[in-house]
Amino acid sequence: MKKLKKVKGRYAWTATVGEKGQIVIPKQAREVFGIEPGDTLILLGDIRRGIAIPPKSAFIDIASQIFEEEE
């Protein structure tokens, strides 16, 4: 098995999907990204590239890009 090398600021975690389709975000991930109980997260999906959960701070940038493309 190939070992992943550490790159500063890059992380990898695993999560298991439960029977109700819920996942638990690992504690270290919640701490790194400041995710608190009750926070609303945005999930972005691309059929070829997968699902992304960007940090809360990226929401304004993402929303701006979406609305700029509409014009």
Side-chain angles (χ1 to χ4, degrees):
M1 179 193 242
K2 190 174 181 180
K3 185 176 179 181
L4 294 174
K5 67 178 185 174
K6 281 192 166 186
V7 178
K8 187 176 181 176
R10 303 260 173 113
Y11 304 91
W13 296 282
T14 61
T16 302
V17 179
E19 291 181 26
K20 295 182 180 181
Q22 298 170 318
I23 62 169
V24 174
I25 300 170
K27 181 180 180 186
Q28 184 187 25
R30 294 190 315 265
E31 290 172 347
V32 167
F33 292 103
I35 299 169
E36 300 289 335
D39 282 353
T40 299
L41 303 176
I42 186 170
L43 282 87
L44 304 175
D46 181 297
I47 200 80
R48 293 182 309 265
R49 296 173 65 191
I51 296 173
I53 306 173
K56 293 180 290 187
S57 59
F59 180 73
I60 298 296
D61 293 335
I62 293 167
S64 295
Q65 289 176 12
I66 290 168
F67 290 117
E68 286 176 6
E69 290 178 12
E70 292 284 320
E71 294 176 357

